[in-house]
């Protein structure tokens, strides 16, 4: 471990230790305060960084060249116009504050407190656990445009859940139904106006109505994994032909990542199979066949498929999977709630396995070559 990377291990270790408040049964109010602290911490941890994090030069240039006159016409290299709302946010921050680090604090705050609002309103319990799982699944400390769009888009899940809770109680009125759908569409539109990748999230309102038999989940998982494994070289060749950012990053994956990627892919696939088995067991035993629970299962299936197919070749496109990453944490929270009713021994085994998994994920993320490439050493505005 390099000395310059120790700060990330310390931060992740402290964040992971927050899970013990869940295990010990701390009050909801106290856990909300802990999550608020972490949101505030990561707002400034990511906000005051300087020349560190993915695509730093690109976003630094965007900030300085965005203007109110080019909100709908700002071109990013040869990749077409940048989304208007992202340009507007940059132009507004530059006009009001001029300094890039202030802009960074603002967008980091938007991301963190979007997740705070979402988890507070979706989970009555175990939201702190979901927050930790979200970071373990690859939510970065340092915000890119994709992270900003996903955090804003996550708020739409609040309105989906509230809508179907009312439906389940069979007390819905047309006004409530319409208002929640409008809020869902509005938040999705905002996220889409920051990054077009959020087009993949548009069907979420209806996705939970698809109730798959357990057999099909495993069939799809195995099929996507085999397709990705067998045709990975072809996907890589396509990425190189496309060129541009996708092609450049495909070269990096080819040169550095392919050797160990297959082994890591198999391990992640096995873990996904185990998680799906447990989540489907909980669905059967708890009788929770709600639209919400099935939505989370379907979101997780989409995330796994995108990771299998794109991670080894279209690394840039693998970010599409992150907008579904929240589903894993929410399903883990449902799983914990179910096993909390079981014996002390069962609870201990479940929590031990979950903590081991989170430790594995955090260590893997912080030891990944690309993480070292863009995040180490951690430098701030005070180092200028």
């Amino acid at each position: 471990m390099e000395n310059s990377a120790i700060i990330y291990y310390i931060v992740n270790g402290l964040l992971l230790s927050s899970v013990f408040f869940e295990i010990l049964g701390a009050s909801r109010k106290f856990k909300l305060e802990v999550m608020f602290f972490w949101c505030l911490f990561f707002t400034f941890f990511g906000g005051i960084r300087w020349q560190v994090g993915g695509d730093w030069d690109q976003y630094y240039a965007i900030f300085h060249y965005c203007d109110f006159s080019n909100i709908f016409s700002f071109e990013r290299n040869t990749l077409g116009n940048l989304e208007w709302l992202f340009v507007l946010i940059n132009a507004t921050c530059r006009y009001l504050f001029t300094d890039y680090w202030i802009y960074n604090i603002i967008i980091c705050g938007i991301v963190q407190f979007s997740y705070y609002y979402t988890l507070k309103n979706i989970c009555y319990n175990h939201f702190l656990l979901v927050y930790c799982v979200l970071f373990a699944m690859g939510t970065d400390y340092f915000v890119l445009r994709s992270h900003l769009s996903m955090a804003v888009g996550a708020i739409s899940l609040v309105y989906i859940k509230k809508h179907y809770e009312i439906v389940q109680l069979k007390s819905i009125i047309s006004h409530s139904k319409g208002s929640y759908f409008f809020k869902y569409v509005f938040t999705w539109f905002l996220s889409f106006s920051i990054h077009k990748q959020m087009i993949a999230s548009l069907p979420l309102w209806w996705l939970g109505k698809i109730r798959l038999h357990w057999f099909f989940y495993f069939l799809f998982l195995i099929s996507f994994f085999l397709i990705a494994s067998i045709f990975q070289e072809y996907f890589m060749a396509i990425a190189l032909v496309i060129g541009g950012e996708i092609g450049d990053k495909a070269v990096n994956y080819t040169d550095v990542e392919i050797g160990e990627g297959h082994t890591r892919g198999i391990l992640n696939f096995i873990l996904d199979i185990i998680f799906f088995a447990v989540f489907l067991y909980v669905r059967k035993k708890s009788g929770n066949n709600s639209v919400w629970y099935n939505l989370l299962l379907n979101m997780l299936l989409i995330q796994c498929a995108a990771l299998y197919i794109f991670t080894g070749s279209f690394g840039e496109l693998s970010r599409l999977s992150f907008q579904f990453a929240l589903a894993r944490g929410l399903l883990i929270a449902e799983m914990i709630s179910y096993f909390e009713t079981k014996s002390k021994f069962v609870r201990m085994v479940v929590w031990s396995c979950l903590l081991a998994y989170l430790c594995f994920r955090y260590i893997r993320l912080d030891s990944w070559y690309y993480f070292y490439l863009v995040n180490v050493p951690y430098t701030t505005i005070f180092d200028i």
Side-chain angles (χ1 to χ4, degrees):
M1 183 191 307
E2 296 183 14
N3 290 335
S4 52
I6 289 178
I7 185 172
Y8 296 110
Y9 287 90
I10 293 174
V11 168
N12 280 342
L14 292 173
L15 176 61
L16 187 57
S17 68
S18 301
V19 175
F20 285 98
F21 295 125
E22 297 277 15
I23 299 174
L24 298 173
S27 69
R28 173 179 168 84
K29 180 182 177 182
F30 178 78
K31 288 188 293 185
L32 281 173
E33 291 171 349
V34 173
M35 188 166 67
F36 184 90
F37 163 79
W38 280 117
C39 289
L40 198 61
F41 172 83
F42 284 117
T43 293
F44 287 95
F45 185 72
I48 64 172
R49 68 188 169 108
W50 194 257
Q51 293 186 330
V52 61
D55 298 330
W56 169 270
D57 291 335
Q58 177 188 153
Y59 284 96
Y60 185 76
I62 288 172
F63 175 78
H64 285 285
Y65 287 103
C66 281
D67 192 82
F68 291 119
S69 64
N70 60 16
I71 290 173
F72 298 101
S73 60
F74 185 91
E75 289 192 28
R76 184 171 59 123
N77 300 324
T78 59
L79 300 176
N81 290 348
L82 208 57
E83 286 80 353
W84 69 269
L85 185 54
F86 186 69
V87 178
L88 178 61
I89 293 170
N90 276 264
T92 302
C93 289
R94 188 167 70 88
Y95 176 78
L96 293 175
F97 307 110
T98 68
D99 292 316
Y100 184 63
W101 62 272
I102 298 179
Y103 158 81
N104 260 336
I105 290 176
I106 290 171
I107 62 168
C108 285
I110 293 173
V111 168
Q112 290 298 319
F113 287 97
S114 291
Y115 282 126
Y116 178 86
Y117 174 84
T118 300
L119 296 179
K120 177 183 177 181
N121 286 278
I122 283 181
C123 306
Y124 182 79
N125 256 327
H126 307 310
F127 43 80
L128 192 53
L129 171 62
V130 179
Y131 184 78
C132 293
V133 173
L134 193 60
F135 271 89
M137 295 311 300
T139 297
D140 210 329
Y141 315 102
F142 309 135
V143 173
L144 302 177
R145 185 166 52 105
S146 57
H147 299 124
L148 182 61
S149 66
M150 288 183 291
V152 173
I155 297 174
S156 65
L157 291 174
V158 174
Y159 307 124
I160 295 176
K161 187 176 185 186
K162 287 185 176 181
H163 168 71
Y164 284 110
E165 281 177 344
I166 295 174
V167 170
Q168 195 170 9
L169 292 172
K170 298 180 180 179
S171 61
I172 190 167
I173 57 175
S174 58
H175 173 72
S176 298
K177 181 178 180 179
S179 63
Y180 283 133
F181 180 72
F182 174 78
K183 290 175 182 177
Y184 162 77
V185 172
F186 179 70
T187 50
W188 173 84
F189 176 73
L190 290 179
S191 67
F192 178 73
S193 300
I194 295 171
H195 201 306
K196 290 185 176 68
Q197 69 168 9
M198 296 304 292
I199 188 68
S201 293
L202 180 58
L204 292 185
W205 182 270
W206 304 275
L207 189 63
K209 295 180 181 179
I210 301 175
R211 293 178 170 88
L212 295 179
H213 189 272
W214 64 265
F215 172 80
F216 290 105
Y217 283 110
F218 292 117
L219 176 64
F220 287 137
L221 280 174
I222 295 170
S223 299
F224 285 127
F225 180 75
L226 290 177
I227 290 171
S229 300
I230 295 171
F231 297 102
Q232 196 66 252
E233 293 182 3
Y234 296 99
F235 294 147
M236 180 67 69
I238 294 172
L240 293 173
V241 170
I242 291 174
E245 274 192 313
I246 292 176
D248 292 341
K249 294 195 177 182
V251 172
N252 287 334
Y253 281 106
T254 304
D255 293 341
V256 185
E257 184 88 332
I258 289 297
E260 63 180 48
H262 183 64
T263 301
R264 186 175 65 247
I266 292 175
L267 181 56
N268 287 334
F269 170 69
I270 293 171
L271 289 171
D272 289 337
I273 289 290
I274 294 172
F275 270 115
F276 261 98
V278 176
F279 296 152
L280 290 167
Y281 172 84
V282 170
R283 183 177 73 168
K284 179 180 179 181
K285 293 298 183 180
S286 66
N288 186 359
N289 197 29
S290 65
V291 173
W292 174 249
Y293 196 87
N294 284 289
L295 169 63
L296 298 180
L297 287 173
N298 295 337
M299 286 176 64
L300 182 57
L301 180 63
I302 294 172
Q303 187 207 16
C304 292
L307 285 174
Y308 297 159
I309 294 173
F310 296 133
T311 298
S313 51
F314 296 93
E316 190 79 0
L317 294 181
S318 66
R319 292 179 183 175
L320 287 171
S321 68
F322 295 164
Q323 58 192 285
F324 304 103
L326 195 56
R328 189 183 300 261
L330 293 171
L331 283 167
I332 287 175
E334 296 275 0
M335 175 192 75
I336 292 297
S337 295
Y338 172 76
F339 284 111
E340 277 181 337
T341 63
K342 306 304 175 184
S343 67
K344 183 177 180 180
F345 174 76
V346 170
R347 295 198 304 272
M348 182 179 68
V349 170
V350 171
W351 274 114
S352 297
C353 292
L354 182 56
L355 286 172
Y357 169 74
L358 290 176
C359 287
F360 163 77
R361 286 293 309 179
Y362 277 117
I363 292 172
R364 268 297 177 87
L365 284 172
D366 287 354
S367 59
W368 186 36
Y369 89 95
Y370 189 70
F371 181 88
Y372 271 81
L373 182 66
V374 300
N375 292 340
V376 176
Y378 174 71
T379 53
T380 71
I381 57 172
F382 303 110
D383 298 313
I384 301 175

